[in-house]
Amino acid sequence: MFSMDQQLLIKLAQRNEDNLYRQRHLLQSPQSTHVQVNGKDCIAFCSNDYLGLASHPSVVASFRKGAETFGVGSGASHLVYGHSYEHQALEEELAVFTQRPRALLFSTGYMANLGTILALTGNKNDHIFEDRLNHASLIDGGVASKAKCSRYRHSDTADLLNRMKGVNGRKLIVTDGVFSMDGDLAVLPDLVNACQKEQGWLMVDDAHGFGVMGNNGGGLAEHFGLSIEELPILVGTLGKAFGTFGAFVAGSEALIETLIQYARTYVYTTALPPAVASATRASLKILQQETWRREKLASLIVRFRSGAETLGLELMKSTTPIQPILLYDDELAIKVGDRLRENGFLVGAIRRPTVPINSARLRITLSVKHTEEEIDALLDTLSGILTDLRGLVK
Ligand SMILES: *Cc1c(COP(=O)(O)O)cnc(C)c1O
């Protein structure tokens, strides 16, 4: 009989052999485009800090002031006197921002998704319909729920409609807004129509849309102009374009009260530090007012795509700062990621199960803090490495 550690080590060795082993690198600077990792200066193309707010001076100042005023730990859950003035103020500002009656803070996006799905689908007759490429936190909500869960083909509304037909009970349709590993947008107007036809409830996790999409950074709801009737359950996260930490759900009075009562990941956890809410209030202001950040990001995206096309790199259908380059092979993705790091560029090498089998890719993310020269340098280096490794580039 193998010991626990022996059994675990066998499994780990297999993962390594499959080129699926995950490793951490040591970040020794604030999150930004210029970072120090493992003692080496690098240019990062892997952060979700799209708008450069994670280390923005006024966000940092608000964080500091929040900590001086409210201390560090919130000390308790929201329902047991951990709900501070700063949490409340941020929730009210997020409600105005999303044009929904109310918003509710969660400690992380993972918890917001899990808790919301479970609070809305408790019954065996309920059905959850998920896009196949949804984020793991949404998939896990479907797996954990007592409801039946089915996954429709990516952005395929006809497949969704087929699956919804004749189903009784609640129908919760769940999708990423901007798909986190592909960068493409959910076909929200079509999903809205499908939901209206079949009386489904639409839940959109816009982790990568808020701050980046829409003229005022209101994400895909603003981009597509979707009202609360069309999109009743709107999730946003604060650790990406907002540059801070946490998440929120925006919607009706009834939805938010239901989550406060029944979302276990809301009820049974310590509230975010109030200073995180203070910092987020500062980043929300910047994100709404400084439209130049979105404009600059858009021009960098154009630059990246045209440069990549010229070099014959395989882009995906993305108009967002998430710009993957498809390599298909897990081992190749790792090798290219390592070589880029040796050359001072950090990108995510994404393999299964994060993405479907045979679709390994570099997940390159752009930030407003990048320069055109840095983008050109990344592309040149990448194309040199690929030519070297596989003669992939035309
Ligand atoms: C990052 C992410 C989450 C999780 O948010 P956290 O606040 O990091 O837990 C959820 N959904 C999507 C689509 C994400 O990209």
Side-chain angles (χ1 to χ4, degrees), residues 79 104 119 255-264 266-268:
L79 295 185
L104 184 72
L255 173 71
I256 299 305
E257 281 303 315
T258 297
L259 296 179
I260 293 174
Q261 304 305 317
Y262 297 110
R264 294 168 66 85
Y266 180 79
V267 176
Y268 297 106

Side-chain angles (χ1 to χ4, degrees), residues 98 100 202 204 206 210 221 231-236 248-251 255:
T98 55
R100 302 303 195 249
L202 182 59
V204 174
D206 206 12
F210 275 109
L231 171 43
I233 309 155
L234 181 54
V235 182
F248 63 90
V249 179
L255 173 71

Side-chain angles (χ1 to χ4, degrees), residues 305-316:
R305 288 185 69 86
S306 70
E309 238 161 56
T310 309
L311 293 168
L313 300 170
E314 189 165 347
L315 290 163
M316 296 184 77

